[in-house]
Amino acid sequence: KQTLDMFASILGAEAGNLALKAMTLNGVYVGGGIAPKLLSKLTDGTFMRGFTNKGRYKRLMSTIPVYIVLNDRTGLIGAAATAARLAQP
């Protein structure tokens, strides 16, 4: 339990760091193979505490929506769509 708590907190903190650096005010998408498997841990508040714990930026961070991508093939679908588009004359 402690390991999962720490993982979710660190993942949230790093996602928050990237969101703050890129000013992704319209949202952050967390994808990959691990996110869907840890959905209950990522939605219990641990992730969001790490995500929003940015000192004076806490209020800003709490307005950024976070989405968990449940389809673990999203990257492949996007790559295939790009390849198909690039193959067009």
Side-chain angles (χ1 to χ4, degrees):
K1 183 183 177 322
Q2 288 177 325
T3 302
L4 283 177
D5 285 342
M6 184 181 289
F7 177 80
S9 178
I10 292 170
L11 183 63
E14 284 303 311
N17 289 341
L18 289 171
L20 197 53
K21 287 177 189 176
M23 292 303 282
T24 59
L25 302 178
N26 291 328
V28 170
Y29 291 81
V30 179
I34 292 178
K37 293 176 179 73
L38 299 179
L39 187 59
S40 62
K41 177 47 66 183
L42 296 179
T43 57
D44 74 355
T46 307
F47 175 89
M48 286 308 292
R49 279 190 296 278
F51 185 84
T52 59
N53 190 15
K54 301 295 176 219
R56 65 181 182 213
Y57 297 109
K58 185 176 181 96
R59 190 182 325 154
L60 170 67
M61 297 305 291
S62 65
T63 66
I64 299 174
V66 176
Y67 306 98
I68 307 295
V69 178
L70 299 178
N71 186 340
D72 61 354
R73 296 185 179 260
T74 302
L76 293 174
I77 295 167
T82 300
R85 189 177 68 244
L86 292 173
Q88 299 281 333

